[in-house]
Amino acid sequence: MPSHFTGIDNASAKLQKMKEFVDNGMAATLDIALDLEERKESSDGVKELKDLMAQYVHMEREMDQWMDAVQQAKAQFTREYDPAKSEIPDIETIFQKKIEDLESANNDKDLLNHKKIVGFDKKIWKVHHEKEQMIGAGGAEDMDADLIMSQATVQTKCPITLKEMTKPMSSKNCKHSYEKEAIEHMIKKSRVKSVRCPISGCPHTLTLNDLEVNVELEHHIARKKRQT
């Protein structure tokens, strides 16, 4: 039965690689937008970059739905497949139905409230309001606690190298941050390609896939250096 999944699994692997490019594109887009905002160079440029971020979010949704449909299709095929019968379920037909069902629920207006678009707005706003809280349209304070940074409380030293980070990477699970080269080397050196978070007492484990670029922290460190 695994041979029935060869084509769709190969396509999924390629799509996962493309998703990494999208993630990198999002990080680069935010990085450039923060630079423009810090220098007060181009509000139009920041708006264009937000539009680009929205396009990335749209692509990410399509990729996530595609991979979700693959898993659902494989599960249904496994349930329906009977080696004793000559008729074999058509995995492509099953997949097509799954992806159509997922896409039918899409609403592009929802993308405007996507956490990465909202996060983009918050991070841009916070460049000039670092010690303030952002007030949402409804009047409620909606700045996430982990986005409120001040030089007095943010940990800017890597727990591995004990030096100031220059390329911080954060765990998607525990949100702790580490120097990119140090944490990647630590994980790659591990026999099982995963390690426990270097922060004392943290129970989470890390793989390379659990890491993401922390653009906001990188800019926070850069601002801190400029002010010293």
Side-chain angles (χ1 to χ4, degrees):
M1 184 168 59
S3 62
H4 296 293
F5 300 151
T6 301
I8 205 167
D9 282 343
N10 288 340
S12 294
K14 292 178 181 178
L15 191 63
Q16 183 61 46
K17 195 66 179 176
M18 289 176 61
K19 195 168 184 297
E20 292 177 14
F21 290 129
V22 169
D23 289 340
N24 290 336
M26 286 183 175
T29 299
L30 177 58
D31 193 17
I32 296 169
L34 288 171
D35 275 339
L36 290 178
E37 188 67 20
E38 285 178 356
R39 298 172 186 177
K40 300 181 180 179
E41 288 186 356
S42 173
S43 58
D44 288 340
V46 172
K47 184 180 183 303
E48 290 175 2
L49 289 166
K50 180 180 176 180
D51 291 340
L52 177 59
M53 180 68 78
Q55 293 177 39
Y56 277 127
V57 168
H58 187 276
M59 286 189 285
E60 182 184 57
R61 181 181 67 181
E62 289 184 334
M63 292 179 181
D64 286 343
Q65 288 182 337
W66 201 96
M67 289 189 284
D68 190 15
V70 166
Q71 296 306 314
Q72 291 185 33
K74 289 170 67 175
Q76 181 175 332
F77 180 96
T78 301
R79 290 193 302 270
E80 296 178 357
Y81 177 71
D82 185 348
K85 296 181 179 179
S86 59
E87 185 176 352
I88 299 175
D90 186 344
I91 186 68
E92 292 186 10
T93 300
I94 296 173
F95 166 77
Q96 193 59 43
K97 179 64 168 63
K98 296 298 182 184
I99 194 68
E100 288 174 359
D101 289 345
L102 290 170
E103 290 177 344
S104 66
N106 287 346
N107 184 345
D108 286 347
K109 290 183 179 179
D110 293 340
L111 294 179
L112 298 176
N113 296 318
H114 190 280
K115 63 181 181 180
K116 290 184 178 177
I117 298 297
V118 174
F120 180 96
D121 286 338
K122 288 179 178 179
K123 290 168 185 175
I124 293 298
W125 180 88
K126 197 164 69 66
V127 168
H128 303 299
H129 306 81
E130 190 165 3
K131 295 183 179 180
E132 301 176 35
Q133 287 185 309
M134 189 176 186
I135 306 301
E141 294 178 349
D142 62 356
M143 176 65 82
D144 295 337
D146 62 339
L147 292 178
I148 301 173
M149 289 189 170
S150 69
Q151 292 180 6
T153 60
V154 177
Q155 179 55 258
T156 59
K157 288 188 177 181
C158 172
I160 304 169
T161 66
L162 302 181
K163 297 179 180 179
E164 189 91 335
M165 289 179 279
T166 57
K167 290 291 182 182
M169 299 285 285
S170 293
S171 164
K172 297 175 184 177
N173 302 321
C174 60
K175 308 304 180 184
H176 290 132
S177 299
Y178 333 88
E179 179 62 38
K180 181 179 188 297
E181 184 176 349
I183 189 62
E184 288 185 349
H185 175 73
M186 190 175 178
I187 293 172
K188 290 175 181 177
K189 190 174 66 173
S190 167
R191 182 176 59 83
V192 293
K193 305 305 178 187
S194 68
V195 296
R196 187 166 179 170
C197 174
I199 297 293
S200 177
C202 182
H204 292 279
T205 56
L206 297 170
T207 67
L208 290 177
N209 288 334
D210 294 323
L211 299 174
E212 59 184 355
V213 177
N214 192 328
V215 176
E216 186 185 16
L217 179 56
E218 185 175 343
H219 278 263
H220 174 83
I221 293 170
R223 288 196 299 272
K224 179 181 175 182
K225 287 181 178 179
R226 287 197 296 269
Q227 294 170 5
T228 56

